[in-house]
Amino acid sequence: MAYNVGILGATGAVGQEIIRLLHEREFPIAELRLLASARSAGKTQSFGDKSWTIQEATPESFAGLDVCIFSAGGDQSKLFAAEAVKRGCIVVDNSSAFRQDPNVPLVIPEINPDSVDNHQGILANPNCSTAISLMGLYPLHKAFGLKSFIASTYQAVSGSGAGGLIELDQQAHAWAEGGEMKQEVYPHQIAFNLIPHVDKFLDDGYTKEEMKMLNEGRKIMGIDDLRVTCTCVRVPVFRAHSISISAEFEKPVTVEAAREAVRNFEGAELVDNPANAEYPMPLNYSEVVPCGVGRIRKDLVFDNGLALWVTGDQLWKGAALNAIQIAELLHKKGKLSS
Amino acid sequence: MAYNVGILGATGAVGQEIIRLLHEREFPIAELRLLASARSAGKTQSFGDKSWTIQEATPESFAGLDVCIFSAGGDQSKLFAAEAVKRGCIVVDNSSAFRQDPNVPLVIPEINPDSVDNHQGILANPNCSTAISLMGLYPLHKAFGLKSFIASTYQAVSGSGAGGLIELDQQAHAWAEGGEMKQEVYPHQIAFNLIPHVDKFLDDGYTKEEMKMLNEGRKIMGIDDLRVTCTCVRVPVFRAHSISISAEFEKPVTVEAAREAVRNFEGAELVDNPANAEYPMPLNYSEVVPCGVGRIRKDLVFDNGLALWVTGDQLWKGAALNAIQIAELLHKKGKLSS
């Protein structure tokens, strides 16, 4: 059994990782079809000894595909998702376009695998910071019952795609070599700076990114009255996000039980040995499958509270990996028709 | 009226800024005496067209000084503070050695200026992250009554002194030029990384730095039952600290009243215009006197809560500037004898 798999947005930073991970994880592929905008059509993309010619995405491009991972931004998703579904292609969408649609499951396979059972053709992949945060929070929710959390993010430039990676690289080189820094992706210099601004601002002073932590956290964990305050900050790090979290629970907590819950959760790794200066860091969690959870301690503000620190690869668990895990889950459940 | 002023630890990153700010702020100096370890004795230090020979610090070094700013670490402070006081020299101490001593005022001049009235020879300068956070929190406390706050820090390498600045500079150059990164100050690479570890770990999993936010916050603002959870993170930024804060208050809050309170507080600047991508950032708050406060919005976890973002120069308000402001306050109050 092997599938015809498409990638929409194959040339982007996430698209590249999707190609790589599909191969490294040996997803059963019959045909791999790379789709992108007209600008990229005709170019060649390769991985290992294989190569593909990129095709321009049109409604017809999805005919014959069993599943297509969309990673070309919300506008492209809105343009093509229904066209793909109409042609019998299941869509795993990386954009935020459908995440709050009640007919679209928002899936982290380690958390809500059964949500895929009722899909109507589209399945949504969560926001990167949310996915990574939940790899630390969800096992604690199962153990203690999550009521609320406060999160401050430390987000890598990979979250802005290839352009973000190029911009930090260029600015850091310019700094070292005395050249001129270019500024195209971010409104301010990101090298050796912090920008407390990710995604667009809403009228209440929050960014859309900050509200995803609340809205997607509620939907994925199934906690309707969850309260979340999030502050999103871009930091001069290449590709792993980190999140500092204080969380409040229904039940009394202990640090030992919290560590045990994280230890037993698939997809997270406990790295929590302060005496040896061991805690998750972006450099250790780039190109790594599990997310790292550490710095677990009693929160000093909430009565039943824990503070923790989570780090994970933005391009992997925050995007490409989770999307592929959704496809793997569909395959495992026999819900991908080839 | 002019004073004989000493600096203990004159060769460090903070010591350098003390020399600079004493001159730029035109502190009335009769004699400036630079003290350091035997290793630095005999070297010359200059500012503008002035220069001084560094003297080895001994108990006798403090004779004849009216005030000495100590910035050579806790051990040196413990060694010399009583010796200085014995010789009639007022000590403004940058280390954490005496901050929790009930006989030592812990002073931020914009917050608790009257605390200097009862000093017994030693006055303590607060921890850098605490001082900068309080420049945003204190005006809100005055307006709404602070009950608790949760803080995640984004701390610049200047907080580790000259060695931290050199380490980030060296590593970033090595990265750009393909050289080898040196690692002496931090337990892990800091360039393009995050280290959720500032100061020593305690048995409960918090670092000493994290507990300063609670203990010093209580003492400076005079809120005995204040609850604080803090997570301290070192980031690849040179010299300004930033802090993401969610705070809970006794009284109902509004964003407009909060902004007004910050606007009217000496020492803070409101930079809160998201529509124009205006918020405080480390690059804008390096070598700047006031701290920047922005991203003020209703907190979504606390009923009477506000979220905010504060940035300030670690070497200035976090260290050298606040220490000099304490000396200026003593002078203004007629409590420095020359």
Side-chain angles (χ1 to χ4, degrees):
Chain A
M1 189 175 274
Y3 306 99
N4 295 335
V5 178
I7 303 173
L8 177 65
T11 58
V14 173
Q16 299 286 312
E17 298 295 327
I18 294 171
I19 297 171
R20 171 179 169 189
L21 288 174
L22 282 171
H23 287 87
E24 290 185 357
R25 295 172 70 86
E26 303 181 338
F27 190 83
I29 296 176
E31 178 202 341
L32 181 61
R33 197 178 297 171
L34 304 192
L35 307 172
S37 63
R39 196 162 33 98
S40 299
K43 289 187 188 159
T44 299
Q45 188 83 252
S46 61
F47 179 82
D49 55 1
K50 294 182 185 129
S51 75
W52 304 266
T53 302
I54 292 167
Q55 304 176 26
E56 179 183 351
T58 69
E60 292 310 318
S61 311
F62 302 93
L65 290 181
D66 300 306
V67 61
C68 187
I69 302 177
F70 278 37
S71 193
D75 289 344
Q76 292 292 299
S77 292
K78 284 179 199 153
L79 196 60
F80 289 120
E83 299 290 348
V85 172
K86 206 193 295 179
R87 289 167 178 81
C89 169
I90 291 176
V91 172
V92 178
D93 184 31
N94 249 320
S95 83
S96 60
F98 303 108
R99 288 181 192 149
Q100 294 306 317
D101 185 326
N103 295 319
V104 173
L106 178 61
V107 189
I108 295 181
E110 297 92 338
I111 297 179
N112 60 346
D114 294 342
S115 67
V116 307
D117 296 342
N118 304 312
H119 80 81
Q120 297 175 24
I122 306 175
L123 301 103
N125 201 42
N127 165 261
C128 48
S129 295
T130 306
I132 294 164
S133 297
L134 265 46
M135 298 310 280
L137 280 168
Y138 184 70
L140 303 180
H141 166 57
K142 293 301 282 182
F144 311 117
L146 185 61
K147 284 174 66 176
S148 68
F149 69 92
I150 289 170
S152 295
T153 73
Y154 300 66
Q155 294 186 230
V157 295
S158 62
S160 313
L165 291 161
I166 291 167
E167 189 141 309
L168 175 57
D169 185 90
Q170 192 279 331
Q171 290 183 354
H173 272 285
W175 170 86
E177 294 149 13
E180 199 181 325
M181 290 192 193
K182 288 184 192 157
Q183 208 176 283
E184 288 164 4
V185 174
Y186 300 115
H188 309 281
Q189 177 185 323
I190 184 61
F192 310 107
N193 196 21
L194 306 165
I195 307 178
H197 174 182
V198 178
D199 207 337
K200 295 209 174 77
F201 279 102
L202 303 167
D203 287 342
D204 61 4
Y206 283 88
T207 61
K208 289 169 80 173
E209 182 88 354
E210 289 163 350
M211 297 313 295
K212 290 172 192 168
M213 192 71 87
L214 169 63
N215 295 323
E216 299 185 21
R218 283 181 176 176
K219 182 166 175 175
I220 296 166
M221 294 190 288
I223 313 172
D224 292 344
D225 57 352
L226 180 68
R227 299 175 76 164
V228 179
T229 297
C230 181
T231 301
C232 289
V233 182
R234 189 74 65 193
V235 300
V237 163
F238 282 103
R239 65 176 277 172
H241 283 2
S242 302
I243 305 100
S244 167
I245 300 171
S246 276
E248 181 189 22
F249 299 92
E250 302 282 355
K251 297 181 204 157
V253 299
T254 69
V255 169
E256 258 326 300
R259 286 183 174 148
E260 193 58 20
V262 170
R263 228 182 253 122
N264 294 331
F265 181 60
E266 195 198 332
E269 257 175 12
L270 183 74
V271 186
D272 198 7
N273 190 357
N276 287 348
E278 289 170 12
Y279 26 72
M281 295 182 296
L283 281 188
N284 296 349
Y285 278 89
S286 296
E287 302 180 68
V288 170
V289 167
C291 294
V293 181
R295 296 295 327 270
I296 298 179
R297 57 215 194 276
K298 281 283 204 86
D299 189 87
L300 303 178
V301 167
F302 296 124
D303 284 329
N304 297 327
L306 291 165
L308 61 152
W309 170 258
V310 189
T311 302
D313 189 315
Q314 186 275 326
L315 292 173
W316 282 19
K317 191 61 189 174
L321 173 66
N322 196 74
I324 291 171
Q325 287 172 323
I326 294 172
E328 290 170 345
L329 178 62
L330 291 169
H331 164 60
K332 219 181 313 172
K333 284 183 175 245
K335 290 181 180 287
L336 267 189
S337 53
S338 63
Chain B
M1 189 176 276
Y3 305 100
N4 295 336
V5 178
I7 303 173
L8 176 66
T11 57
V14 173
Q16 300 284 313
E17 298 296 327
I18 294 170
I19 297 170
R20 171 179 169 189
L21 289 173
L22 283 170
H23 286 87
E24 290 184 358
R25 294 173 70 86
E26 302 180 340
F27 190 83
I29 296 176
E31 178 201 341
L32 181 62
R33 197 178 298 171
L34 303 192
L35 307 172
S37 63
R39 197 162 31 98
S40 299
K43 290 186 187 159
T44 299
Q45 188 83 253
S46 61
F47 180 81
D49 55 2
K50 294 182 185 127
S51 75
W52 304 266
T53 302
I54 293 167
Q55 304 176 25
E56 180 183 351
T58 68
E60 292 310 318
S61 310
F62 302 94
L65 290 180
D66 299 306
V67 60
C68 187
I69 302 178
F70 278 37
S71 194
D75 290 344
Q76 293 291 301
S77 292
K78 284 179 198 153
L79 195 60
F80 289 121
E83 300 290 347
V85 172
K86 207 193 294 179
R87 288 168 178 80
C89 168
I90 292 176
V91 171
V92 178
D93 183 32
N94 249 320
S95 83
S96 61
F98 303 108
R99 287 181 193 149
Q100 294 306 317
D101 184 327
N103 296 319
V104 173
L106 178 61
V107 189
I108 296 181
E110 296 92 339
I111 296 179
N112 59 346
D114 294 342
S115 66
V116 306
D117 295 342
N118 304 312
H119 80 81
Q120 296 174 26
I122 306 174
L123 301 103
N125 201 43
N127 165 261
C128 47
S129 295
T130 306
I132 293 164
S133 297
L134 266 45
M135 299 309 281
L137 281 168
Y138 184 72
L140 304 180
H141 167 56
K142 293 301 282 181
F144 311 118
L146 185 61
K147 283 174 67 177
S148 68
F149 69 93
I150 289 170
S152 294
T153 73
Y154 301 66
Q155 296 186 229
V157 295
S158 62
S160 313
L165 291 161
I166 291 167
E167 190 139 310
L168 175 57
D169 184 89
Q170 193 279 331
Q171 290 183 354
H173 272 285
W175 170 88
E177 293 149 14
E180 200 182 324
M181 289 192 193
K182 288 184 192 158
Q183 207 176 282
E184 288 164 5
V185 173
Y186 299 114
H188 309 281
Q189 177 185 325
I190 184 62
F192 310 107
N193 196 21
L194 306 166
I195 307 177
H197 173 182
V198 178
D199 207 338
K200 296 209 174 76
F201 279 103
L202 303 167
D203 287 342
D204 61 4
Y206 283 88
T207 62
K208 288 169 81 173
E209 182 87 354
E210 289 164 350
M211 297 313 295
K212 290 172 191 169
M213 192 70 89
L214 168 62
N215 295 323
E216 299 185 20
R218 284 181 175 176
K219 181 166 176 175
I220 295 166
M221 295 190 287
I223 313 172
D224 292 344
D225 57 353
L226 180 68
R227 298 175 76 163
V228 179
T229 297
C230 181
T231 301
C232 288
V233 182
R234 189 75 64 192
V235 300
V237 162
F238 282 104
R239 64 175 278 172
H241 283 3
S242 302
I243 305 99
S244 168
I245 300 171
S246 276
E248 181 189 22
F249 299 92
E250 302 282 355
K251 298 181 203 158
V253 298
T254 69
V255 169
E256 258 327 301
R259 287 184 175 149
E260 192 59 22
V262 170
R263 229 182 252 121
N264 294 331
F265 180 60
E266 195 198 332
E269 257 174 12
L270 183 74
V271 186
D272 199 6
N273 190 356
N276 287 349
E278 289 169 11
Y279 27 71
M281 294 182 296
L283 281 188
N284 296 349
Y285 279 88
S286 296
E287 302 181 65
V288 170
V289 167
C291 293
V293 181
R295 297 294 328 271
I296 298 178
R297 56 215 195 277
K298 281 282 203 86
D299 189 87
L300 303 178
V301 167
F302 296 123
D303 285 328
N304 298 327
L306 290 165
L308 62 151
W309 171 259
V310 188
T311 302
D313 189 315
Q314 185 275 326
L315 292 173
W316 283 18
K317 191 61 188 174
L321 173 66
N322 195 74
I324 291 172
Q325 287 173 323
I326 294 172
E328 290 170 346
L329 179 63
L330 291 169
H331 163 60
K332 219 183 311 172
K333 285 184 174 244
K335 289 181 181 288
L336 267 189
S337 53
S338 64

